[in-house]
Amino acid sequence: MIGKQFVKGNEAVAMAAIKAGVRCYFGYPITPQSDIPEYLSRELPRNGGTFIQAESEIGAINMVLGASAAGLRAMTSSSGPGISLKQEGISYMAGSELPGVIVDIMRQGPGLGGIDASQADYYQATRGGGHGGYRIIVLAPGSVQEMYDLTMLAFDLSDLYRIPAMVLADSVLGQMKESITPNRRPVCALPPKDWAVRGWAEGSPQNVVKSLKLGDGEMEKFHWEMHARYQLLADRESRWEEYRTDDARLIVTAFGSTARISRTAVETARAAGMKVGLLRPITLVPFPKKIYADLSRRCKLFLDIELSTGQMIDDVRLSVERDTEVAFYGRPPGAGSLPTPEEIFEQIGKVYP
Amino acid sequence: MKQVFGRSPSLKDVQTHFCPGCHHGAVHRLVAEAMDEFAIRDRTIGCASVGCSVFLYGYFNIDVVESPHGRAPAVATGVKRARPDNIVFTYQGDGDLAAIGMSEIIHAANRGEDITVIFVNNTTYGMTGGQMAPTTMPGQKTSTSPYGRDINNDGAPFKMAELLSNLDGVAFSARVAVNNPRNVLAAKKLVKTAFRYQVEGRGFSFIEALAACPTNWGMQPLAANERVGSEMIPYFPLGVYKNTDNL
Ligand SMILES: Cc1ncc(C[n+]2csc(CCOP(=O)(O)OP(=O)(O)O)c2C)c(N)n1
Ligand code: SF4
Ligand SMILES: [Mg+2]
């Protein structure tokens, strides 16, 4: 029996990483995610792993690249300014088909911004972030339990598809304490990492981990292959949570911490006799397009809630049936800008069809 | 008859893309011979950098990881920490290591990572067409220092072998050249020493190899080779800057 534990979201990430068999963590301090390196600096060496506080986020992501190229599970974590610095390495990892987990505990920006919760790095996370035209897997937990579960899943999906995976949360989820069940790692059949560098022994092929593709048509082929892999990912791995969508006329949609707040607002609306539901995407890449399309045939209206001026709404609009209306309520990130359930309930009232 | 000179088994039997008179090829050979000497080819992992040496995997019979520009020491850190029983080296140019990658090299060296770094200083950005590098010499004309490097504007060239030797984490640091047989022999010995340090698990070892880039210096191969001796060596003296053998 695995007992319940009362932990912070960031700690849940770190605990799950160890459970998932992470062997190397490389990071650089930044609020609001420093509990992750702090926890792992203590626990990873005890569990036979390596912890390095790197010289910068650039150093850290490239250490992840190296350890992953060598076939081990490796991760890093950061927030806005640091995630920006990691984009170079993430692009190289994507180009080299290297797995690896990046945890992004979003804070306000642009620039130094501030440490309050934000969802304004949705574009940065879901559009690839670096150069070259690639996607990474993006998982958006909505509770401390999911911080734990999705961190484990990130390692498996990343290894399975050979695409870097990001756990995208914010300072509310990172700092919040909840009671969780530290589940065992789900069984996932993974292919051997026969592409990893380990020394070119006699009789085996030379392994080269690289993104350079100069051959005639080589890069074009790579892009089409990745395109097909992203499609496969969408078909197989899209995840979401629905709450009372069955008969809903209005469906609130939000991810991460705003989805939690929205859920309370949906409950209030239901208590007031309004037919309101909630759709929470758990995978942002792949975005669960199909469920949006399906539900848009049944409901009248979506109300998208974000802690930004609206980014995920692009994906919502692209996913719903053409004539479905999508209303929006957002608060740009900043101190005091986290919306209350009452505020969202009020918005529901305003647009309820 | 005894064969006294042949291709190192650590090298592939292929033509390189290096320009005539380029010293990268000679440095590759020294690295290959060091692998042969310690019979470590099959457990060596190379971390290639971005520059004219980007095709490491095409010339060496070893597994290779490509690194973003300047980041090879961080990549090598990840590889070595993941696989401590392997021999891991980086091969980097002067733009790669001493400009964009200065942070990565200093910190890998300071942590005393058990890796070997081969640093090829040709005083220019070879691959991108001969721009000014952090090692471009005072007065040297390049495509972005058309009036010659002005140290009041651009700072003085970095002397990496000396600089790194000051760090406690560095076990071995030396500067070599391959411009004449005597220097090649000395270089061969020192490159082997650098790898021996890693084989013995002694910590960070560093080789700076002075190199000619005839193409971007706008010189004939012979003249470029001359310049290494007449201009570079006086400014970047050869020798061992740190040696912890007797500690
Ligand atoms: C981030 C980034 N900036 C710039 C470049 C372009 N670039 C490629 S090689 C190079 C310099 C190479 O010079 P050096 O490291 O001295 O190697 P050499 O070719 O002289 O051996 C540059 C600037 C790049 N690939 N990536
Ligand atoms: S450009 Fe210079 S460094 Fe590059 S291959 Fe030619 S001679 Fe060598
Ligand atoms: Mg150079």
Side-chain angles (χ1 to χ4, degrees):
Chain A
M1 244 294 287
I2 312 168
K4 291 234 174 221
Q5 289 191 36
F6 191 60
V7 296
K8 266 189 184 181
N10 284 337
E11 286 167 350
V13 166
M15 288 162 60
I18 290 182
K19 263 285 174 54
V22 73
R23 306 311 297 157
C24 299
Y25 173 93
F26 309 107
Y28 187 86
I30 186 169
T31 309
Q33 63 80 53
S34 293
D35 319 84
I36 300 173
E38 282 164 6
Y39 184 100
L40 289 171
S41 66
R42 191 177 68 235
E43 298 301 327
L44 199 49
R46 283 189 199 164
N47 286 276
T50 295
F51 172 93
I52 298 181
Q53 181 167 320
E55 60 273 18
S56 69
E57 289 84 352
I58 298 176
I61 191 72
N62 283 289
M63 292 174 193
V64 170
L65 188 158
S68 175
L72 295 202
R73 285 198 157 176
M75 78 179 284
T76 185
S77 61
S78 190
S79 185
I83 296 291
S84 292
L85 286 183
K86 290 186 196 295
Q87 295 303 336
E88 174 194 55
I90 296 172
S91 168
Y92 272 76
M93 288 173 69
S96 307
E97 296 177 68
L98 280 179
V101 172
I102 302 116
V103 179
D104 180 357
I105 308 296
M106 285 182 281
R107 58 186 250 170
Q108 311 157 40
L112 196 51
I115 60 168
D116 292 276
S118 166
Q119 295 185 323
D121 292 331
Y122 180 91
Y123 280 154
Q124 186 193 40
T126 59
R127 266 57 184 169
H131 65 282
Y134 64 90
R135 295 291 176 113
I136 59 173
I137 296 162
V138 182
L139 309 179
S143 63
V144 175
Q145 181 69 55
E146 272 192 354
M147 292 287 266
Y148 187 93
D149 294 340
L150 295 185
T151 298
M152 281 211 236
L153 180 67
F155 279 101
D156 283 343
L157 292 184
S158 189
D159 276 351
L160 196 56
Y161 293 90
R162 289 182 65 187
I163 297 175
M166 177 178 277
V167 176
L168 186 72
D170 58 42
S171 51
V172 171
L173 286 160
Q175 297 304 322
M176 173 169 82
K177 271 193 155 182
E178 282 183 323
S179 143
I180 65 160
T181 308
N183 299 318
R184 267 195 206 93
R185 194 177 137 215
V187 181
C188 175
L190 295 169
K193 293 184 174 178
D194 50 11
W195 43 264
V197 294
R198 46 173 62 90
W200 185 7
E202 226 61 68
S204 62
Q206 179 188 27
N207 282 347
V208 178
V209 173
K210 67 179 177 73
S211 63
L212 190 69
K213 293 168 180 66
L214 299 177
D216 207 17
E218 190 185 356
M219 186 57 97
E220 183 180 2
K221 183 164 164 272
F222 169 77
H223 273 272
W224 283 123
E225 272 173 25
M226 292 312 293
H227 185 77
R229 209 179 301 172
Y230 300 145
Q231 190 56 55
L232 196 67
L233 196 66
D235 294 344
R236 288 190 189 158
E237 309 296 350
S238 295
R239 286 170 167 77
W240 65 89
E241 184 193 31
E242 287 173 75
Y243 174 63
R244 305 200 68 173
T245 52
D246 280 2
D247 60 342
R249 295 166 63 79
L250 183 156
I251 295 178
V252 176
T253 186
F255 73 97
S257 53
T258 51
R260 287 173 75 94
I261 305 167
S262 298
R263 186 176 169 122
T264 311
V266 167
E267 280 162 4
T268 312
R270 281 283 174 177
M274 298 156 95
K275 290 186 171 171
V276 180
L278 176 72
L279 175 57
R280 175 174 74 91
I282 294 173
T283 54
L284 300 181
V285 176
F287 196 73
K289 285 186 183 163
K290 197 173 165 299
I291 187 68
Y292 280 90
D294 292 349
L295 290 178
S296 69
R297 278 180 222 113
R298 301 213 303 261
C299 73
K300 294 257 180 280
L301 176 83
F302 278 87
L303 172 59
D304 174 73
I305 312 276
E306 294 183 59
L307 208 50
S308 72
T309 51
Q311 300 187 7
M312 185 179 84
I313 191 168
D314 291 0
D315 289 326
V316 174
R317 287 209 171 108
L318 284 169
S319 305
V320 296
E321 292 285 301
R322 195 198 291 245
D323 49 0
T324 310
E325 207 186 321
V326 183
F328 176 73
Y329 182 70
R331 295 279 306 265
S337 77
L338 200 65
T340 60
E342 295 72 32
E343 205 175 325
I344 293 172
F345 175 61
E346 197 186 312
Q347 294 302 317
I348 292 173
K350 271 191 193 161
V351 296
Y352 186 70
Chain B
M1 209 174 86
K2 186 172 162 237
Q3 189 183 1
V4 291
F5 188 85
R7 180 172 295 279
S8 152
S10 296
L11 283 177
K12 292 188 180 175
D13 189 6
V14 292
Q15 278 241 305
T16 70
H17 73 290
F18 300 126
C19 312
C22 177
H23 284 179
H24 269 303
V27 179
H28 275 42
R29 186 177 170 95
L30 296 183
V31 171
E33 286 174 351
M35 287 190 250
D36 300 341
E37 167 92 6
F38 300 109
I40 51 173
R41 182 208 62 76
D42 59 359
R43 62 181 176 110
T44 297
I45 296 169
C47 297
S49 65
V50 180
C52 283
S53 56
V54 71
F55 297 119
L56 227 54
Y57 57 87
Y59 303 141
F60 286 100
N61 284 317
I62 57 171
D63 280 359
V64 171
V65 190
E66 161 199 275
S67 318
H69 194 24
R71 318 297 178 218
V75 171
T77 297
V79 174
K80 185 74 182 189
R81 296 291 183 118
R83 306 192 69 86
D85 295 337
N86 284 81
I87 300 297
V88 179
F89 75 92
T90 74
Y91 187 111
Q92 306 174 254
D94 43 358
D96 190 272
L97 181 141
I100 195 166
M102 189 58 116
S103 170
E104 285 75 20
I105 186 65
I106 291 274
H107 284 272
N110 197 54
R111 284 190 303 268
E113 293 296 339
D114 204 3
I115 60 173
T116 301
V117 171
I118 306 294
F119 168 54
V120 177
N121 173 3
N122 57 12
T123 73
T124 190
Y125 285 63
M127 181 182 242
T128 43
Q131 294 83 8
M132 184 174 67
T135 46
T136 292
M137 295 178 60
Q140 184 182 337
K141 288 184 178 164
T142 70
S143 67
T144 51
S145 57
Y147 309 110
R149 183 187 187 124
D150 173 2
I151 61 168
N152 293 315
N153 191 55
D154 310 315
F158 279 103
K159 297 184 174 179
M160 290 308 299
E162 290 88 329
L163 194 154
L164 291 179
S165 68
N166 290 319
L167 300 176
D168 288 349
V170 173
F172 182 78
S173 175
R175 184 180 289 117
V176 305
V178 290
N179 61 322
N180 61 43
R182 190 167 56 93
N183 285 345
V184 170
L185 279 177
K188 186 170 168 163
K189 206 171 128 224
L190 293 176
V191 171
K192 279 181 187 168
T193 307
F195 276 91
R196 175 170 60 78
Y197 268 71
Q198 193 180 162
V199 169
E200 293 171 357
R202 305 269 297 277
F204 187 90
S205 52
F206 184 79
I207 291 283
E208 173 172 346
L210 301 182
C213 172
T215 305
N216 287 305
W217 293 355
M219 289 178 164
Q220 292 298 317
L222 273 179
N225 198 59
E226 278 295 289
R227 178 185 176 242
V228 173
S230 60
E231 292 180 28
M232 287 180 75
I233 292 177
Y235 194 88
F236 297 107
L238 304 184
V240 176
Y241 288 92
K242 187 154 188 190
N243 176 342
T244 45
D245 260 342
N246 300 320
L247 288 183

